[in-house]
């Protein structure tokens, strides 16, 4: 039987989808393979005397630098027709630069990941009671409202400055014996976690409040009718549905925190942006360094989005806001 045009188009589309998924998997393996091997080398193998040493490159960038120099000479000799060769020279120079700064970016990525994950988790622990009080707290809801509006209405950078420079937190943490010793980060890192937790909790509380209000009030009434207290009804009936509904908004919050963690650099936290900007200031190669920085941020954001999407599909209840129903392109 002859294949219809529609079937042929569908097969081509499926082939393109499979190729895209394969490329995404290969890119994820390369990205996380680089990060994990880098951390393993710096924290364990280097201390055992195995490998190139902490913060050292796996490969020498010299061959790529030599190739870039040779290609630039060739491009100059070809005059007008040397543009494609010049692009190759730029590519070789970019690879050499990537090899050179990869250890610093990997270490900065660790700080960014820990800062983001800790802030989201701790912020969630604050956000849930704040959202519940906002919806069911009676007169106390004004306290929750004041908290969320105060935090959301002021810049995150200003909040970090108040915590770091305006309060004696840095002095107290500096006096602690463990802070800044061994693998325990400096006081600025802990203050950054506190600032991002407070800021993220206000936004998460609003996401959860919206999800709480989307649950039919009759469900809480039914819970009370079978003998549950109001607290038990919220805990066992309303919140489990609410948290499922809030996952897409949480994904936005996670993406937001990954990118805005760069503000921690302004209170000297050595995360991704801090390390990249220091290298750019010393080498004056701002454009290629910040392009590489953007690639690392993109890898982290896409990974976080993929993880949250998988969680959403795992906990989705068929027929109740299923994740598949919100996929782009599904109408």
């Amino acid at each position: 039987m002859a294949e219809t045009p529609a079937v042929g188009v569908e097969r081509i589309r499926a082939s393109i989808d499979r190729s895209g998924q394969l490329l995404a998997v290969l890119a994820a393996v390369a990205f996380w393979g680089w990060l994990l091997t880098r951390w393993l080398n710096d924290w364990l193998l280097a201390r055992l005397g195995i490998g190139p040493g902490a913060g050292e490159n796996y490969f020498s960038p010299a061959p790529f630098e030599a190739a870039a120099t040779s290609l630039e000479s060739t491009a100059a000799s070809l005059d007008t027709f040397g543009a494609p060769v010049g692009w190759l020279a730029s590519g070789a120079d970019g690879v050499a630069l990537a090899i050179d700064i990869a250890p610093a970016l990997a270490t900065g990525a660790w700080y960014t990941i820990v800062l983001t994950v800790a802030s989201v988790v701790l912020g969630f622990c604050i956000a849930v009671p704040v959202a519940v009080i906002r919806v069911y707290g009676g007169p106390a809801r004004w306290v929750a409202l004041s908290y969320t509006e105060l935090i959301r209405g002021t810049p995150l950078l200003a909040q970090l400055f108040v915590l770091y420079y305006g309060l004696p937190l840095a002095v107290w943490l500096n006096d602690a014996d463990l802070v800044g010793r061994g693998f325990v980060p400096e006081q600025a890192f802990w203050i950054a976690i506190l600032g991002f937790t407070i800021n993220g909790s206000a936004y998460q509380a609003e996401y959860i409040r919206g999800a709480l209000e989307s649950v039919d009030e009759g469900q809480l009434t039914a819970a009370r009718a079978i003998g549950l207290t109001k607290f038990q009804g919220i805990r066992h009936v309303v919140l489990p549905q609410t948290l499922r509904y809030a996952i897409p908004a949480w994904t936005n919050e996670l993406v937001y925190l990954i990118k805005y963690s760069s503000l921690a650099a302004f209170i000297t936290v050595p995360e991704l942006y801090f390390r990249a900007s220091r290298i750019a200031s010393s080498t004056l190669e701002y454009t290629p360094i910040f392009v590489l920085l953007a690639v690392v941020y993109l890898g982290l954001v896409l990974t976080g989005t993929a993880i949250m999407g998988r969680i959403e599909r795992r906990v989705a209840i068929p027929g109740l806001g299923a994740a598949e129903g919100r996929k782009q392109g599904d109408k």
Side-chain angles (χ1 to χ4, degrees):
M1 179 181 294
E3 185 179 84
T4 64
V7 173
V9 170
E10 190 60 33
R11 286 189 175 182
I12 293 174
R13 181 179 298 173
S15 176
I16 293 173
D17 289 343
R18 285 195 297 272
S19 300
Q21 292 172 357
L22 178 61
L23 289 175
V25 170
L26 291 176
V29 169
F31 179 74
W32 283 102
W34 161 63
L35 279 181
L36 293 175
T37 54
R38 192 70 248 177
W39 296 337
L40 178 65
N41 177 78
D42 290 353
W43 297 338
L44 180 61
L45 298 182
R47 297 183 180 184
L48 298 176
I50 303 173
E56 300 293 331
N57 296 320
Y58 290 142
F59 311 102
S60 172
F64 293 96
E65 293 172 348
T69 303
S70 176
L71 289 169
E72 286 173 356
S73 301
T74 304
S77 65
L78 293 175
D79 198 14
T80 308
F81 301 101
V85 181
W87 298 337
L88 291 175
S90 298
D93 195 45
V95 172
L97 180 64
I99 293 173
D100 198 29
I101 69 173
L105 292 183
T107 305
W110 169 254
Y111 279 88
T112 296
I113 292 170
V114 173
L115 178 60
T116 302
V117 173
S119 302
V120 167
V121 173
L122 296 175
F124 170 77
C125 297
I126 299 174
V128 171
V130 169
V132 171
I133 292 172
R134 177 81 186 278
V135 177
Y136 299 104
R141 68 180 59 186
W142 292 103
V143 177
L145 175 63
S146 301
Y147 174 79
T148 56
E149 293 306 312
L150 173 64
I151 300 303
R152 293 198 309 147
T154 53
L156 173 57
L157 186 58
Q159 295 166 11
L160 290 175
F161 282 166
V162 168
L163 291 172
Y164 189 70
Y165 298 110
L167 300 177
L169 294 177
V171 177
W172 295 343
L173 289 170
N174 192 46
D175 292 338
D177 291 335
L178 293 178
V179 174
R181 296 185 180 182
F183 61 88
V184 180
E186 299 283 349
Q187 67 271 20
F189 183 73
W190 300 105
I191 294 175
I193 287 180
L194 176 62
F196 280 89
T197 297
I198 293 173
N199 185 270
S201 68
Y203 286 92
Q204 290 189 63
E206 280 301 283
Y207 301 147
I208 297 171
R209 179 189 65 82
L212 277 171
E213 292 177 340
S214 69
V215 177
D216 190 347
E217 293 182 3
Q219 297 199 28
L220 183 57
T221 304
R224 300 293 300 275
I226 62 173
L228 296 180
T229 64
K230 185 177 182 180
F231 176 79
Q232 290 172 330
I234 295 171
R235 163 69 180 80
H236 296 291
V237 177
V238 179
L239 269 181
Q241 300 174 64
T242 297
L243 299 183
R244 288 186 175 92
Y245 293 153
I247 289 177
W250 265 328
T251 305
N252 288 335
E253 177 65 14
L254 180 64
V255 170
Y256 164 84
L257 283 178
I258 290 174
K259 294 184 295 183
Y260 284 84
S261 63
S262 59
L263 293 177
F266 290 91
I267 58 170
T268 70
V269 176
E271 45 71 65
L272 262 176
Y273 175 79
F274 179 89
R275 292 175 183 273
S277 61
R278 288 296 180 93
I279 297 172
S281 299
S282 61
T283 62
L284 301 181
E285 294 186 278
Y286 286 95
T287 300
I289 288 175
F290 282 112
V291 167
L292 292 171
L293 176 65
V295 170
V296 179
Y297 273 117
L298 182 62
L300 297 179
V301 166
L302 292 179
T303 301
T305 304
I307 292 173
M308 294 300 289
R310 181 173 290 275
I311 293 174
E312 185 183 2
R313 288 190 291 275
R314 288 291 299 272
V315 302
I317 299 175
L320 289 177
E324 295 299 325
R326 290 192 288 273
K327 287 177 64 177
Q328 292 183 357
D330 290 353
K331 300 292 183 181

